[in-house]
Amino acid sequence: MTPIELAGTYRDALTRADLQGVLALFSPGATVHSPLYGPIPATEFYPELFADTSRAKFHLLGVAEGGKPDGGRIVTVWFQFDWRLPSGQPADFECVDVLELADDGKITTLHIIYDTVTARPAFEAEKGEGSSWRPASSTGRAR
């Protein structure tokens, strides 16, 4: 599967909340590193994500292929994720997913990278958790 095909298949499965379709892209034992959920097995991450989603739209902005210093293959997928929580509250963000691939093209590790400044407060409020985010001080730095 080419990087563009992989990104498109991933996008389509996420948009449909197709658990089997998403997990078919991953190797057994694969891990997802998420800013909101932490490091978690893919088999646990996607059921949680889909339970925390009422609607998702994934707008592909770019795809790149590269390598790790050890020769491992990586694909990066840059996208706008229009995410609605179960209440309908938006928690949209622009994101880069870095996919580490096995020799068979399956994802072994997914690193999700995005600024959680808008998504985290909405997510934590939805989950009934206290906010871990604090607004910037007058110096412009988060407290």
Side-chain angles (χ1 to χ4, degrees):
M1 188 178 308
T2 69
I4 290 285
E5 291 169 336
L6 177 58
T9 301
Y10 181 61
R11 175 199 61 219
D12 294 345
L14 278 178
T15 300
R16 291 189 318 269
D18 177 358
L19 180 60
Q20 295 310 314
V22 170
L23 292 180
L25 299 172
F26 286 82
S27 295
T31 302
V32 174
H33 296 268
S34 164
L36 293 178
Y37 297 87
I40 184 172
T43 55
E44 294 176 27
F45 173 75
Y46 288 99
E48 284 192 44
L49 176 66
F50 294 154
D52 291 336
T53 302
S54 68
R55 182 176 61 83
K57 288 190 179 179
F58 181 111
H59 306 282
L60 189 59
L61 301 173
V63 178
E65 183 174 19
K68 295 174 54 177
D70 67 5
R73 183 174 164 218
I74 59 172
V75 170
T76 58
V77 182
W78 173 32
F79 60 94
Q80 171 66 37
F81 193 59
D82 295 337
W83 187 28
R84 296 296 174 267
L85 300 171
S87 67
Q89 173 72 26
D92 304 339
F93 52 88
E94 192 171 305
C95 182
V96 174
D97 282 359
V98 179
L99 295 71
E100 295 184 43
L101 304 180
D103 290 339
D104 65 1
K106 300 276 187 177
I107 302 165
T108 59
T109 307
L110 169 62
H111 303 272
I112 303 171
I113 303 165
Y114 63 94
D115 186 345
T116 63
V117 72
T118 56
R120 181 173 298 283
F123 178 77
E124 289 176 343
E126 187 85 14
K127 298 293 244 177
E129 299 172 0
S131 178
S132 63
W133 179 84
R134 296 182 197 143
S137 67
S138 60
T139 65
R141 295 179 184 214
R143 290 184 250 150

